[in-house]
């Protein structure tokens, strides 16, 4: 039972990360109908920004400022920086192709992902880097009941993700920007005719989605300690599937899908074998996509002719 | 950018007029050459290209150059296969690499000691058809989702399939498939007592296979099936209305692509004598995509040309710092000559860059001598030429990284500004790119290569989506 709960918590942690990345995928897909392959790499860039914030404050062993401030700066810089990067990518790689055949922006997205990965490789090398979280956050704080250990970092990640998802829901459902985003997502041309600044709305969507990915990257660094330049690709793949499993374009769907995939992965690792984790998870994903392409919470899109 | 037809004559549809204008020959000797080239028919053209290819081993001096040729032919063959689903049928198949891997692994299992202690050593005329039939079935299986899923969903599910192949070969049945250690000691291509063991032999084998595939695909392209593929690509719904069996046509595209990839895989396995899971990762898939996009999706000649150009460029030139320099400066000069019109702008830019570099070098040198102490990291006469012109500090890596990021920013700015300012901005961009090249990129060819592939995909898609040889798709709204 303890093992079950432990794995569940691990799955929820991993799932929160997937959910945060999946939200960005889902939002971008909603407004542009574009599978942004570079999104996973934005997550990786976020993790690196967090790493350099720690180094900047004197390294994990000798932080010069209080830990909460460091965390705040990490999240803000990673979110803001990666958000801006996302906006830049949209502006320069995707905007010129907005009216091109569907396949063109997809291939461009592949190119952007590849370029981003290898630029980071050029700048920072292929070696693993260590957040060394335990040096400045004590893992002994948190919930400990018998053999069950839920450390403070995991609690923080889960709580913060829920807060972020809630905030995003409010933005999309209650604000003017959210209304514009929904309008652009359902019909871009009609939205434009109604006086919505489509370019601005799409850029804002990219900013929000990318910022979430950047924050997820910092969280990944805090939880798993190790970051590297190729960490984004597979995480991005799984997150996209999380978005699809939940129902693309749906925010609660992305959360649900992310959590489900995180938990599935964690249970496969815990109960079956870590060697087959990816294989089994990919298998589940293919099965879900074939059986219900609209996802759990998605609606069947009506096709106009 | 297409130019609007000057006066659309009455009774001619506007886009017909526009596409006719696009298809018009270029003026002067270029148009004449093109016309003559097109008049000789497709099979003599293919024959001329094949003869030119067959002459290559006579000119090469060593095995290494032949190896580059083999890689280039392999990539061309793969691009041809990818062209079927991506270029003709318009299905984004990101699991294509798995078919290649399947072919290589299938051949490896059927011609090594892997399956049993005494081993299975089938001759090529038995093993290659078996593998190709297997690949066709696998293609059908992977293509099945295309009945329900389109576009991005299909892309992601095929991508999973590709990833799953690497995971599978890495982890499942490691005593048979070898796991990360792969399969080694694979037999060469052998039939009726003869076998191919030299690089020259494999070069000719690949050349023959490539030419045969090109011919077969040309016939396929002009057949009913080929037309059906293009109809499905342009508008599945309309194709369905025209009684084209859309699902069957899509599955056929997957299957044919898989067969071509598997064929390439068998030659790869036989020539390398070993296969590893990492030979079939996403990086290589993106290379195939870059080749196809560069050459022009939808065109047989384009796919082959893209594969050859990309492979020879990346493997041949980017290995040695001197030769990669020829490539780098050559491409820059060529682009400038083609893109900068009229001629005085070209001269102004080149002269401006030279002067700008000298001035910057002088200023930096006056401020700090160590900031220019690094010198070009390449060698050869070009390096000597630019030695006192580029700014490369004593520790070039860190400065090169900063320069690279700056260069990306400048390139983006260059795309944004128009008119005179673009010409002005071109000067520092050119200079900075040379500095970054000499200081950093030339020292890390492996990463430069990947960056180049990513850049090719983005630039081609934005600037010339039809590739070098493809024809621009006519969009009907």
């Amino acid at each position: 039972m303890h093992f079950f709960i432990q794995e569940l918590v691990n799955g929820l942690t991993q799932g929160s990360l997937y959910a945060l990345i999946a939200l960005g995928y889902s939002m971008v897909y909603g407004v542009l109908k574009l599978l942004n392959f570079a999104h996973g790499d934005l997550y990786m860039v976020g993790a690196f920004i967090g790493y350099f914030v720690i180094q900047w404050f004197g390294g994990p062993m000798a932080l010069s400022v209080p830990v909460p401030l460091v965390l705040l700066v990490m999240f803000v810089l990673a979110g803001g920086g990666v958000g801006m990067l996302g906006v830049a990518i949209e502006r320069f790689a995707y905007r010129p192709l907005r009216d091109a055949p569907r396949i063109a922006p997809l291939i461009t997205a592949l190119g952007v992902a590849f370029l981003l990965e290898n630029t980071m490789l050029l700048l920072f090398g292929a070696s693993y880097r260590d957040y060394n979280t335990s040096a400045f956050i004590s893992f002994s704080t948190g919930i400990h009941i018998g053999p069950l250990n839920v450390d403070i970092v995991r609690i923080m990640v889960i709580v913060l993700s829920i807060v972020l998802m809630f905030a995003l829901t409010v933005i999309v459902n209650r604000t003017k920007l959210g209304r514009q985003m929904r309008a652009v997502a359902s019909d871009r041309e009609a939205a434009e005719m109604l006086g919505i600044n489509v370019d601005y709305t799409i850029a804002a969507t990219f900013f929000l989605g990318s910022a979430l990915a950047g924050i997820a990257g910092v969280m990944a660094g805090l939880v798993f300690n190790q970051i590297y330049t190729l960490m984004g690709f597979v995480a991005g793949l799984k997150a996209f599937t999380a978005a699809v499993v939940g129902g693309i374009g749906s925010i609660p769907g992305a959360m649900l899908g992310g959590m489900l995939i995180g938990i599935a992965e964690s249970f496969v690792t815990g109960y079956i074998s870590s060697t087959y984790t990816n294989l089994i998870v990919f298998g589940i994903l293919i099965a879900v996509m074939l059986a219900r392409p609209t996802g759990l919470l998605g609606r069947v899109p009506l096709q106009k002719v | 950018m297409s130019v609007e037809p000057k006066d659309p004559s009455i009774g001619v549809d506007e886009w017909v007029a526009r596409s006719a204008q696009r298809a018009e020959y270029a003026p002067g000797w270029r148009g004449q050459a093109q016309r003559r080239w097109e008049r000789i028919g497709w099979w003599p053209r293919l024959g001329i290209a094949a003869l030119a290819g067959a002459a290559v081993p006579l000119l090469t001096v060593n095995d290494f150059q032949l190896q580059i040729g083999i890689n280039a032919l392999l990539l061309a063959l793969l691009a041809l296969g990818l062209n079927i689903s991506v270029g003709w049928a318009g299905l984004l198949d990101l699991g294509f690499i798995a078919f290649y891997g399947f072919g290589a692994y299938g051949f490896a299992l059927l011609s090594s000691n892997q399956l049993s202690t005494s081993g299975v050593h089938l001759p090529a005329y038995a093993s290659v058809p078996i593998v190709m039939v297997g690949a066709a079935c696998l293609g059908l299986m992977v293509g099945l989702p295309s009945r329900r899923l389109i576009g991005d969903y299909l892309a992601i599910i095929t991508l999973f399939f590709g990833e799953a192949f690497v995971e599978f070969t890495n982890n499942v049945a490691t005593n048979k498939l070898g796991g990360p250690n792969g399969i080694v000691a694979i037999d060469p291509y052998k039939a009726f007592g003869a076998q191919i063991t030299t690089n020259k032999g494999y070069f000719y084998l690949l050349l023959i296979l490539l030419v045969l595939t090109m011919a077969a695909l040309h016939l396929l392209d002009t057949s009913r099936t080929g037309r059906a593929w293009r109809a499905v690509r342009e508008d599945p719904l309309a194709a369905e209305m025209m009684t084209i069996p859309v699902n069957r046509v899509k599955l056929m595209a997957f299957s044919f692509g898989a067969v071509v990839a598997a064929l390439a895989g068998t030659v790869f396995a036989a020539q390398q004598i070993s296969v590893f899971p990492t030979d079939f990762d996403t990086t290589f898939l993106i290379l195939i995509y870059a080749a196809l996009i560069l050459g022009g999706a939808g065109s047989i000649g384009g796919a082959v040309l893209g594969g050859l150009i990309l492979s020879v460029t990346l493997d041949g030139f980017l290995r040695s710092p001197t030769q990669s320099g020829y490539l780098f400066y050559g491409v820059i000069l060529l682009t400038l000559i083609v893109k900068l019109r009229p001629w005085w702008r070209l001269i102004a830019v080149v002269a401006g860059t030279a002067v700008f570099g000298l001035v910057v070098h002088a200023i930096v040198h006056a401020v700090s001598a160590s900031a220019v102490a690094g010198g070009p990291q390449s060698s050869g006469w070009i390096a000597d030429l630019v030695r006192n012109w580029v700014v490369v500090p004593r520790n070039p890596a860190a400065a090169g990284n900063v320069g690279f990021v700056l260069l990306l920013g400048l390139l983006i700015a260059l795309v944004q500004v128009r008119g005179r300012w673009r010409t002005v901005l071109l000067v520092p961009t050119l200079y900075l790119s040379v500095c970054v090249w000499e200081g950093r990129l030339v020292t890390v060819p492996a990463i430069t290569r990947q960056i180049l592939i990513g850049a090719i995909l983005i630039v081609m898609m934005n600037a010339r989506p039809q590739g070098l040889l493809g024809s621009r798709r006519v969009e009907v709204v």
Side-chain angles (χ1 to χ4, degrees), chain B residues 73-245:
Chain B
L73 289 175
L74 270 176
L75 189 62
L77 198 54
L78 285 169
L80 266 184
L82 187 64
N83 180 41
I84 299 174
S85 53
V86 175
W88 288 343
L91 303 163
L92 196 61
D93 175 10
L94 293 178
F96 184 73
I97 192 75
F99 301 133
Y100 181 49
F102 177 84
Y105 265 87
F107 183 82
L109 288 175
L110 293 179
S111 10
S112 68
N113 290 333
Q114 209 66 27
L115 282 182
S116 64
T117 44
S118 62
V120 182
H121 295 277
L122 289 180
Y125 58 78
S127 60
V128 173
I130 291 177
V131 169
M132 282 165 71
V133 170
C137 297
L138 192 68
L140 280 184
M141 209 185 79
V142 178
L144 277 180
S146 72
R147 296 166 69 93
R148 302 190 50 167
L149 305 172
I150 47 158
D152 309 355
Y153 286 77
L154 183 67
I156 199 96
I157 214 162
T158 48
L159 185 57
F160 279 138
F161 175 71
E163 293 284 310
F165 178 81
V166 176
E167 291 279 335
F168 188 85
T169 46
N170 248 325
N171 296 317
V172 178
T174 40
N175 57 335
K176 296 285 185 233
L177 293 176
N181 296 327
I183 299 175
V184 292
I186 302 168
D187 298 344
Y189 253 59
K190 60 176 195 290
F192 309 115
Q195 56 181 17
I196 304 176
T197 47
T198 59
N199 271 359
K200 194 174 270 187
Y202 279 104
F203 184 92
Y204 281 117
L205 174 69
L206 270 171
L207 191 66
I208 293 168
L209 290 179
L210 184 71
V211 169
L212 289 181
T213 313
M214 281 171 82
L217 287 183
H218 178 84
L219 294 175
L220 198 60
D221 185 27
T222 46
S223 73
R224 256 167 86 98
T225 314
R227 290 196 301 275
W229 277 332
R230 269 167 289 154
V232 169
R233 176 187 74 192
E234 293 305 334
D235 191 338
L237 202 65
E240 185 99 60
M241 292 297 117
M242 295 303 201
T243 69
I244 289 173

Side-chain angles (χ1 to χ4, degrees), chain A residues 90 95 98 184 192 196-205:
Chain A
E90 190 274 326
R95 191 176 295 179
R98 213 172 272 169
V184 172
E192 195 150 25
I196 291 174
N197 187 343
V198 171
D199 285 345
Y200 170 78
T201 310
I202 290 177
T205 311

Side-chain angles (χ1 to χ4, degrees), chain A residues 165-220:
Chain A
M165 292 175 204
F166 183 73
L168 189 70
T169 315
V170 170
I171 291 178
V172 171
N173 288 336
R174 294 288 156 82
T175 63
K176 196 176 156 195
L177 176 66
R179 212 155 50 229
Q180 290 173 347
M181 279 159 59
R182 280 178 289 145
V184 172
S186 68
D187 190 332
R188 195 196 311 150
E189 278 176 15
E192 195 150 25
M193 277 177 218
L194 292 174
I196 291 174
N197 187 343
V198 171
D199 285 345
Y200 170 78
T201 310
I202 290 177
T205 311
F206 264 86
F207 182 85
L208 287 177
S210 310
L212 290 178
I215 291 173
V218 173
M219 289 178 175

Side-chain angles (χ1 to χ4, degrees), chain A residues 29 33 91-92 96-97 104 106 108 114 118-119 122-123 237 240-241 248 275 278 282 289-290 293 305, chain B residues 92 94 148-149 152-153 156 159-160 164 167 171 237 293 401 404 412 416 440 444 447 450 461-462 475:
Chain A
Y29 194 91
K33 302 285 172 288
R91 177 73 187 77
F92 298 108
L97 295 174
L106 267 180
T108 311
F114 214 57
N118 287 291
T119 302
L122 176 78
L123 300 185
L237 266 187
F240 178 74
T241 324
I248 201 135
T275 339
N278 278 348
F282 285 156
M289 287 181 84
L290 286 183
V305 183
Chain B
L92 196 61
L94 293 178
R148 302 190 50 167
L149 305 172
D152 309 355
Y153 286 77
I156 199 96
L159 185 57
F160 279 138
E167 291 279 335
N171 296 317
L237 202 65
I293 299 301
N401 287 345
F404 183 74
I412 287 173
Q416 289 313 300
R440 181 80 179 116
V444 281
I447 301 177
Q450 316 281 52
M461 270 296 135
N462 274 288
E475 291 281 323

Side-chain angles (χ1 to χ4, degrees), chain A residues 100-121:
Chain A
R102 284 282 288 278
I103 211 164
L106 267 180
I107 292 174
T108 311
L110 271 183
V112 172
F114 214 57
L115 190 69
L116 213 55
E117 257 171 40
N118 287 291
T119 302
M120 292 299 276
L121 200 61

